[in-house]
Amino acid sequence: MDYISILKRLSTYAAVSGYEKDMAEQMKELFGEYCDDVGIDKFYNVVAIKRGTGNGKYRIMITAHLDEIGFLVKSIDENGFLRLANIGGIDSKILLAQEVTVHGRDKIPGFIGAKPPHLLKPEETKKAVKMDDLYVDVGMNAEYVKNIISIGDLITFKSEMNELQGGKLSGKTVDNRCGIAVLLGVMEELTKVLHEIDVYFVATVQEETHCTGAETVSFNLEPDIAVIIDACHGDMPDAPKDETYPLGKGPAIAIGPNLHRKFTKKLMEICKEENIPFQIDVEPDDTGTEAWITQVSRAGIPSLLVSIPVRYMHTTVETVDVQDIKNAARAVAAFVKRLEPGREGIQCLSI
């Protein structure tokens, strides 16, 4: 699979939490190339099934969220400037001079502005910029703006995916379009082999707000086991070493009370046998991912978490090593291949 081309394609879709419909339609088409059935549920989760040889007796769910952070138009002032309301975790310090797209009646280009340093008062230079102090300038007067843009319209970042040296990519929405790329990689790997367990691939929605998509789809599918694919923090200067993971050294497999110990150990053993590099992510509490929600769905679902190291998360220059995506797909696919009822280490599938 050409992961570079796939990730570039995935990054072009707008899918802010709660506004994922258009991208869901695109994912339905992509997933349909590999899976037996694909559907979109009421919340716009994309659910694809790749059937195994076990007559549907056991099922594994593999998820990655497709949504992204973004904004809504909060107000339009008398001069046509748009005020912002953020969706998801956004640090206002990264917003100055960012290019954006306003999704009104048409897609309107704009940028986020604020007072330049020359006009700041001395006391203002010592303060971090606040979201309420920022605005979007679309270059038009208020009368024209109000004809094509309404309060509540969506605003997304505009940023192209760039190839860096060393097999790395940088751009917006790497979190978690890299996870969607992993799903596609696993699908492709599984087309080459027979597997007993039915595999449900789910591109989930609204993770950046309240993990709503994972909560509803986990309850609906009630799988025997779940693997959550997400992003974790990549290494960068001045960041805590025990909370970040080097790019290019493999996906991070999480351990902790939120994750199923037996299956996690099995995944690590498989990676060692298959010579797939991986790192260990220690999560003593809430993982901050869909694994936290999935684990306690219905009567409980044994859950695993596999994360791709991503630098500069929730910015327009999120950076990933393509090799980590490839190795994550290899690891999860190898895990699925080994899921046979009664096999050592996975007997609990028959409980």
Side-chain angles (χ1 to χ4, degrees):
M1 175 168 290
D2 185 349
Y3 287 100
I4 292 177
S5 295
I6 285 293
L7 202 54
K8 284 183 175 181
R9 176 179 174 180
L10 294 174
S11 73
T12 64
Y13 301 131
V16 175
S17 296
Y19 297 81
E20 300 96 342
K21 181 179 182 295
D22 290 345
M23 185 174 177
E25 295 290 348
Q26 297 294 329
M27 291 303 96
K28 181 179 179 181
E29 180 180 330
L30 263 179
F31 287 5
E33 296 177 15
Y34 301 98
C35 296
D36 299 308
D37 291 299
V38 187
I40 300 174
D41 70 12
K42 297 175 183 177
F43 274 77
Y44 299 108
N45 292 303
V46 184
V47 183
I49 308 170
K50 197 169 190 320
R51 293 190 174 87
T53 61
N55 298 317
K57 187 175 183 181
Y58 301 105
R59 57 178 64 177
I60 181 173
M61 180 179 73
I62 308 174
T63 75
H65 72 88
L66 60 80
D67 61 310
E68 62 187 285
I69 57 175
F71 310 90
L72 295 177
V73 176
K74 187 176 181 179
S75 65
I76 304 172
D77 73 12
E78 66 276 8
N79 295 311
F81 296 114
L82 314 177
R83 295 292 177 175
L84 304 165
N86 62 293
I87 298 177
I90 302 176
D91 185 351
S92 59
K93 294 193 295 295
I94 66 108
L95 297 180
L96 295 176
Q98 292 283 359
E99 291 184 87
V100 296
T101 299
V102 183
H103 299 260
R105 289 170 56 188
D106 299 308
K107 292 183 179 180
I108 310 298
F111 61 86
I112 297 175
K115 284 193 292 185
H118 317 71
L119 302 181
L120 292 175
K121 297 176 182 179
E123 61 271 18
E124 291 177 320
T125 62
K126 301 176 183 179
K127 298 179 180 179
V129 63
K130 297 179 180 179
M131 190 73 66
D132 290 341
D133 297 329
L134 301 174
Y135 54 83
V136 172
D137 187 346
V138 295
M140 300 180 291
N141 62 44
E143 181 180 359
Y144 190 82
V145 167
K146 291 179 180 179
N147 282 331
I148 57 175
I149 298 173
S150 302
I151 292 173
D153 282 347
L154 192 66
I155 301 174
T156 57
F157 289 113
K158 181 181 178 182
S159 174
E160 293 184 0
M161 190 70 68
N162 295 300
E163 291 186 52
L164 305 179
Q165 298 297 312
K168 296 178 179 62
L169 287 176
S170 180
K172 75 174 186 70
T173 68
V174 173
D175 168 25
N176 185 34
R177 307 294 162 79
C178 65
I180 300 294
V182 171
L183 293 189
L184 291 166
V186 176
M187 292 177 194
E188 184 182 65
E189 288 286 328
L190 294 181
T191 61
K192 307 171 186 177
V193 297
L194 292 176
H195 51 90
E196 184 167 353
I197 192 168
D198 286 356
V199 185
Y200 286 72
F201 295 95
V202 187
T204 54
V205 298
Q206 298 189 43
E207 189 273 349
E208 297 293 359
T209 49
H210 301 292
C211 292
T212 307
E215 185 171 9
T216 56
V217 79
S218 297
F219 186 92
N220 183 41
L221 294 181
E222 195 176 9
D224 297 283
I225 180 175
V227 179
I228 286 73
I229 314 294
D230 209 330
C232 62
H233 295 288
D235 62 333
M236 66 194 85
D238 302 322
K241 297 299 181 184
D242 59 345
E243 296 180 22
T244 58
Y245 302 88
L247 273 60
K249 293 190 176 182
I253 300 174
I255 59 174
N258 187 194
L259 296 317
H260 194 275
R261 291 187 295 278
K262 182 181 288 186
F263 285 131
T264 298
K265 181 181 178 182
K266 190 67 178 178
L267 175 59
M268 292 180 179
E269 290 173 352
I270 291 170
C271 285
K272 292 175 182 177
E273 293 169 9
E274 300 280 344
N275 293 315
I276 301 171
F278 69 92
Q279 306 176 67
I280 297 177
D281 170 16
V282 177
E283 295 286 352
D285 198 356
D286 182 351
T287 64
T289 71
E290 294 173 332
W292 186 252
I293 294 293
T294 302
Q295 181 200 27
V296 295
S297 181
R298 285 189 180 260
I301 299 171
S303 299
L304 292 80
L305 174 62
V306 178
S307 299
I308 313 300
V310 173
R311 289 177 182 153
Y312 323 123
M313 204 179 296
H314 284 203
T315 74
T316 56
V317 292
E318 294 177 334
T319 302
V320 67
D321 191 309
V322 175
Q323 199 63 34
D324 291 334
I325 299 174
K326 180 178 180 180
N327 283 322
R330 288 179 59 210
V332 176
F335 182 72
V336 172
K337 295 173 192 176
R338 306 284 188 94
L339 285 176
E340 301 173 7
R343 187 183 179 96
E344 182 182 0
I346 60 170
Q347 292 95 330
C348 60
L349 278 177
S350 61
I351 292 177

